[in-house]
Amino acid sequence: MALCLYEDANEVINEFNTKYTKTGEEIKRFVERNSSNLVAFYNIGAEALKASLSTKNNFYHMLNRFVRGPYFQNLVSEYEAMSHELAAVRGFGSMQPGVDNSPGKGFPGFLQLVLNWRAKSIRLIGGAFVKNSLIDHHSMLIADFEKMAFIKLEMLGRAKDKLLDKRAGAIDRSRGNIEPSRRDDQYYWSFNGEFWNDELGDYVFGLESECNR
């Protein structure tokens, strides 16, 4: 059996760069622009949560890695439930003509203050979660780009070898064809290019390089 993964690797790298370069830049701009605005982070997280899983928005795809977890979903559900409570309290206050039910005035007004505080707290907590998660995932994305860059160097080295009419992959790739060592208490079986030193964990298959063939 022979195998060459250069073309496949190059295709994966190009696809990754095309898909995530713009997304990484968008995340960076959003974080920098809203650094002190946690509500904006909550809102973008809630938008991604409500959007379809099959959305073509790559920013939402990145957000979906954590906003669809139980923690953020529970915060959004609590915020929506609290909004209904606040509407009910306001309706109750309007049913008492002549009574000042503005925030902080009377029992309905006091409830409005409490619910408004809850709403603000939920959005701040949720916003902090989304912000920190975005920063973490952006850092991982940068690390992935660095890994891709190292692989790309290998691709460029192969292209250079081609230009210089050198045989790409000339390094020793014959480890699968080397007879493995065995202990005195082991049996050695050889068949169809495979090696097996008694135990299944010692199984070795000879895989040759097909690059430039």
Side-chain angles (χ1 to χ4, degrees):
M1 180 177 180
L3 187 66
C4 183
L5 296 177
Y6 277 104
E7 297 302 327
D8 291 338
N10 195 46
E11 182 178 344
V12 169
I13 291 172
N14 292 335
E15 181 181 346
F16 181 88
N17 290 338
T18 300
K19 182 176 182 180
Y20 289 109
T21 297
K22 183 178 179 181
T23 303
E25 293 173 350
E26 189 176 357
I27 292 173
K28 184 175 183 293
R29 286 195 301 269
F30 185 85
V31 171
E32 291 177 346
R33 185 172 63 248
N34 300 286
S35 179
S36 58
N37 184 7
L38 294 179
V39 174
F41 286 95
Y42 173 85
N43 290 339
I44 193 69
E47 290 174 10
L49 183 60
K50 293 179 181 179
S52 171
L53 275 173
S54 58
T55 178
K56 295 182 179 179
N57 189 322
N58 287 330
F59 194 5
Y60 283 178
H61 280 303
M62 180 67 71
L63 289 165
N64 282 337
R65 297 183 181 183
F66 48 87
V67 299
R68 293 187 181 273
Y71 179 75
F72 190 76
Q73 287 198 66
N74 287 338
L75 287 176
V76 173
S77 297
E78 185 179 351
Y79 179 79
E80 292 176 349
M82 180 275 310
S83 298
H84 293 308
E85 291 180 32
L86 185 57
V89 169
R90 288 171 177 166
F92 175 73
S94 64
M95 296 171 60
Q96 297 178 314
V99 178
D100 185 4
N101 291 310
S102 58
K105 301 292 184 179
F107 184 67
F110 171 73
L111 287 179
Q112 288 187 52
L113 283 179
V114 173
L115 293 174
N116 285 331
W117 173 82
R118 283 180 59 194
K120 182 179 180 180
S121 298
I122 289 172
R123 289 191 293 176
L124 291 178
I125 293 172
F129 170 76
V130 172
K131 178 182 178 180
N132 293 333
S133 298
L134 264 181
I135 292 174
D136 289 343
H137 279 74
H138 184 261
S139 298
M140 289 188 287
L141 189 61
I142 295 300
D144 289 339
F145 275 118
E146 292 175 350
K147 295 174 185 176
M148 291 295 178
F150 283 119
I151 300 175
K152 193 67 176 179
L153 287 176
E154 177 72 15
M155 303 295 105
L156 293 174
R158 180 171 181 258
K160 176 185 175 183
D161 288 340
K162 281 186 174 181
L163 290 174
L164 297 176
D165 291 327
K166 292 183 178 179
R167 182 175 180 272
I171 59 174
D172 182 17
R173 298 178 181 271
S174 60
R175 63 180 181 179
N177 296 323
I178 298 176
E179 181 178 326
S181 60
R182 68 178 180 84
R183 301 191 305 269
D184 292 337
D185 61 342
Q186 289 181 316
Y187 289 100
Y188 169 70
W189 303 88
S190 176
F191 52 96
N192 296 329
E194 299 160 294
F195 307 102
W196 196 346
N197 273 355
D198 188 42
E199 298 292 338
L200 186 60
D202 294 321
Y203 177 82
V204 179
F205 185 84
L207 185 62
E208 302 175 10
S209 174
E210 196 181 51
C211 297
N212 275 7
R213 286 191 176 184

